[in-house]
Amino acid sequence: MKIMIAYDGSRNAKLALAQVVNMFRCNQPLLVLVGVVENPLDATDNNETLFQQEHDEVKQHLQEGVAFAIGEGFQAEYLLAEGDARKMLLQSIRKLSPDLLVIARHSHQPDGGIIAKSLTYFVDELDYMTFGSVSSFLARRAECPLLILPSP
């Protein structure tokens, strides 16, 4: 069994990984953590530096997630993709043919104060109205079973 987990190192992604470990421990599946780094919008040195920083951070998060899974007795590996998260996750599904894709739903209760909550709500609404969420995009297009884990 192969389970692909959309993983960005966020609190919700870490919780999703822990839930997968608990839910599927008896099956001992191969866990494949997939992280995506957005391409820079232009080729300026500043954007390239920001892209490289994000690339390094996502790679580190993926390595930490794999180390956690291995520590729990699972076989685990990671894949780091570059591009639009929705499209890269869909492409990864087609490439890896997982038995299950797991993604964490974004929390509607951010960790910050009232300003962070207001900004997060605004950005989430704008993102949903403009582009749709990653989970809804994948729910319509994924060619494998999809498990969307809610955040606590």
Side-chain angles (χ1 to χ4, degrees):
M1 176 179 219
K2 184 188 309 180
I3 298 177
M4 186 174 121
I5 304 170
Y7 194 82
D8 60 3
S10 66
R11 174 183 169 271
N12 290 347
K14 289 176 181 178
L15 291 171
L17 176 58
Q19 286 179 296
V20 167
V21 164
N22 288 333
M23 290 170 55
F24 294 98
R25 186 176 303 278
C26 63
N27 299 68
Q28 290 296 305
L30 168 64
L31 301 182
V32 181
L33 282 61
V34 179
V36 180
V37 181
E38 297 281 339
N39 288 325
L41 297 176
D42 61 45
T44 64
D45 288 341
N46 189 37
N47 273 345
E48 185 60 34
T49 301
L50 292 173
F51 172 78
Q52 191 59 48
Q53 288 173 346
E54 182 180 356
H55 181 277
D56 294 344
E57 287 175 13
V58 172
K59 184 176 180 180
Q60 181 179 353
H61 291 310
L62 288 168
Q63 291 170 335
E64 291 168 357
V66 166
F68 169 77
I70 290 172
E72 292 291 321
F74 286 78
Q75 292 181 350
E77 57 189 47
Y78 71 87
L79 174 66
L80 180 56
E82 298 174 5
D84 177 85
R86 299 168 298 170
K87 293 176 183 175
M88 292 298 98
L89 288 169
L90 189 59
Q91 186 177 6
S92 297
I93 293 167
R94 291 178 179 149
K95 178 181 177 181
L96 300 172
S97 300
D99 297 300
L100 179 67
L101 169 64
V102 177
I103 58 176
R105 190 175 64 198
H106 283 289
S107 176
H108 294 290
Q109 298 178 350
D111 295 333
I114 187 69
I115 293 174
K117 289 179 183 179
S118 299
L119 287 175
T120 299
Y121 176 77
F122 174 74
V123 169
D124 284 348
E125 287 301 310
L126 181 63
D127 181 54
Y128 184 77
M129 290 185 304
T130 308
F131 306 107
S133 68
V134 173
S135 58
S136 65
F137 178 87
L138 291 171
R140 291 188 305 270
R141 291 174 178 84
E143 298 169 357
C144 68
L146 173 65
L147 175 60
I148 303 172
L149 295 172
S151 56

